[in-house]
Amino acid sequence: MASHRRSEPGSLDRNTKVGMLTAAAAAATAAAITVVPATAAPALPKEPSATVRAQVDRLFEEAERATERFNEAGERADRLRADVGRARDRLARAQDRINTMRGLLGAFAGAQYRSGGIDPAVELMLSEDPDDYLDKAATLGRLTDHQARQLDELRKEQRRLGQERSEAARKLVELEAVRADAAREKSVVTTKLAAARRLLNEMSAQDRADFERASRTGDRDGALPDPPADGSFGPASGRAAAAVRAARSAVGRPYIWGATGPSGFDCSGLMVWSYRQAGVSLPRTSQAQRYAGRRVPLSEARPGDLVTYRSDASHVGMYVGNGQVVHAPHPGARVRYDPVGMMPVASVTRP
């Protein structure tokens, strides 16, 4: 009879132990694999250049638009200041004429006063300072036709003087509003530029160099041939040629927003200064420069033509031939040559 040995309580046979040990080892190995952090491939360096450069370009573009609005406000303020000055001159002259008329009529009023009566209309006209008029009362005895005409002219002058005063006051209010506009645009420009500088400061030196190259030229290596050494950019009129020479002489000078040279320029300021050297007065803003002459197709551009960019004409350069413009690109850059097609062309204008 076969005998059966009972297993001791809590004991495991060998095969069971081996199986359980194998399962435990497998589980431990799996757990170890699960908790070990992944270090297979190093993280790729983040690629800020495209995004950051696009942000900086956008900020510079917005600052440039605000700069042109600031320039426009400044130009309007200059016109209004001139208008206010002329209005003040007219007021002074009108007041002198009224004072003279009052003096002549005052003499007549004095004579009438001594004779026992004074015309109510004359009294009304002269009521501000009757004593002064009564001192001149020795020469006239009665209101002649000539004096009646003087009285009528005095009334008209007083009405004109009131209108001049109202107009001068309106111009002063408008001037204050324009000054406030300019202050707001200045704040926009400085805010945008500060944000752009912060982004630029976060770039590596290589990224900044790439941005400078790509900011207007489309990131083309060796984008432009050198300009001709003899300055021969093709046919141009005498004044256009003089403006081109002036613009070329400004190459290398810094972009300074709101500036019209000679030490620095914004985009439209460079055009103003260059044509001023040729004896030609241009409007201050790129938007106004767009209409400061005859419009021509880009295919017919000549040296000295003004090339405006973007649909709102918020940037401008001067065509100098050889497929190039000279322009002040943006804050932080210097006046330089770039391809005429660096941005969408809005118009070409021949002053």
Side-chain angles (χ1 to χ4, degrees):
M1 181 174 176
S3 64
H4 297 279
R5 186 175 57 187
R6 189 176 59 179
S7 300
E8 295 179 4
S11 66
L12 296 171
D13 62 34
R14 183 173 181 278
N15 290 338
T16 302
K17 288 180 180 179
V18 169
M20 292 185 68
L21 287 171
T22 302
T29 302
I33 293 172
T34 301
V35 299
V36 171
T39 58
L44 293 174
K46 66 178 183 177
E47 178 56 52
S49 57
T51 301
V52 174
R53 288 201 318 238
Q55 290 175 348
V56 174
D57 247 341
R58 176 179 55 79
L59 288 165
F60 278 153
E61 186 174 317
E62 291 170 355
E64 195 166 40
R65 289 191 170 103
T67 295
E68 291 305 296
R69 291 194 298 268
F70 173 83
N71 291 338
E72 181 182 13
E75 194 172 40
R76 284 175 57 206
D78 289 342
R79 288 195 300 267
L80 285 168
R81 275 192 289 269
D83 288 347
V84 168
R86 286 190 292 269
R88 284 172 172 161
D89 288 343
R90 289 194 300 269
L91 282 171
R93 289 193 297 269
Q95 189 64 60
D96 286 344
R97 288 194 299 270
I98 285 174
N99 291 343
T100 299
M101 291 176 184
R102 284 180 180 275
L104 292 173
L105 289 169
F108 165 75
Q112 276 205 335
Y113 184 81
R114 286 202 315 276
S115 65
I118 184 168
D119 187 286
V122 175
E123 185 177 18
L124 179 64
M125 290 292 104
L126 306 177
S127 61
E128 290 181 8
D129 191 3
D131 291 338
D132 179 64
Y133 305 130
L134 295 175
D135 288 341
K136 304 172 182 176
T139 57
L140 295 177
R142 54 182 297 129
L143 184 64
T144 65
D145 289 342
H146 174 66
Q147 289 152 357
R149 288 193 297 273
Q150 287 180 321
L151 182 58
D152 185 57
E153 184 61 29
L154 175 58
R155 289 178 177 138
K156 291 178 180 177
E157 282 292 334
Q158 286 179 317
R159 284 196 295 271
R160 281 194 288 268
L161 182 62
Q163 292 168 352
E164 291 286 355
R165 283 176 174 153
S166 296
E167 180 66 11
R170 188 186 68 78
K171 292 284 187 183
L172 283 170
V173 170
E174 187 177 356
L175 177 58
E176 288 307 312
V178 170
R179 284 173 173 162
D181 288 344
R184 281 192 294 272
E185 296 301 344
K186 181 177 180 180
S187 177
V188 170
V189 173
T190 53
T191 299
K192 299 290 185 185
L193 293 183
R197 289 190 190 101
R198 283 196 297 271
L199 289 173
L200 283 171
N201 289 339
E202 293 170 2
M203 287 185 184
S204 67
Q206 183 59 51
D207 280 341
R208 283 197 298 272
D210 290 344
F211 169 80
E212 176 61 22
R213 186 175 68 251
S215 59
R216 288 291 190 253
T217 60
D219 204 14
R220 292 165 53 194
D221 290 329
L224 292 172
D226 290 333
D230 61 0
S232 58
F233 286 89
S237 69
R239 64 183 189 178
V244 169
R245 285 194 296 271
R248 290 187 62 221
S249 74
V251 170
R253 298 180 199 176
Y255 182 109
I256 300 175
W257 73 272
T260 56
S263 57
F265 309 88
D266 60 25
C267 67
S268 56
L270 176 61
M271 304 301 105
V272 168
W273 180 82
S274 298
Y275 263 98
R276 187 185 298 149
Q277 310 316 301
V280 178
S281 178
L282 288 182
R284 177 63 183 90
T285 66
S286 57
Q287 289 86 353
Q289 290 170 5
R290 180 180 193 173
Y291 302 104
R294 181 165 63 91
R295 304 278 287 277
V296 298
L298 179 60
S299 60
E300 298 177 13
R302 296 178 185 173
D305 290 349
L306 306 179
V307 183
T308 55
Y309 294 92
R310 308 189 191 105
S311 59
D312 60 356
S314 55
H315 187 75
V316 63
M318 182 183 294
Y319 187 69
V320 291
N322 202 27
Q324 303 176 48
V325 292
V326 167
H327 68 135
H330 56 76
R334 295 182 178 274
V335 176
R336 70 189 189 201
Y337 298 97
D338 268 325
V340 68
M342 61 184 173
M343 290 185 288
V345 172
S347 65
V348 180
T349 303
R350 187 163 298 153

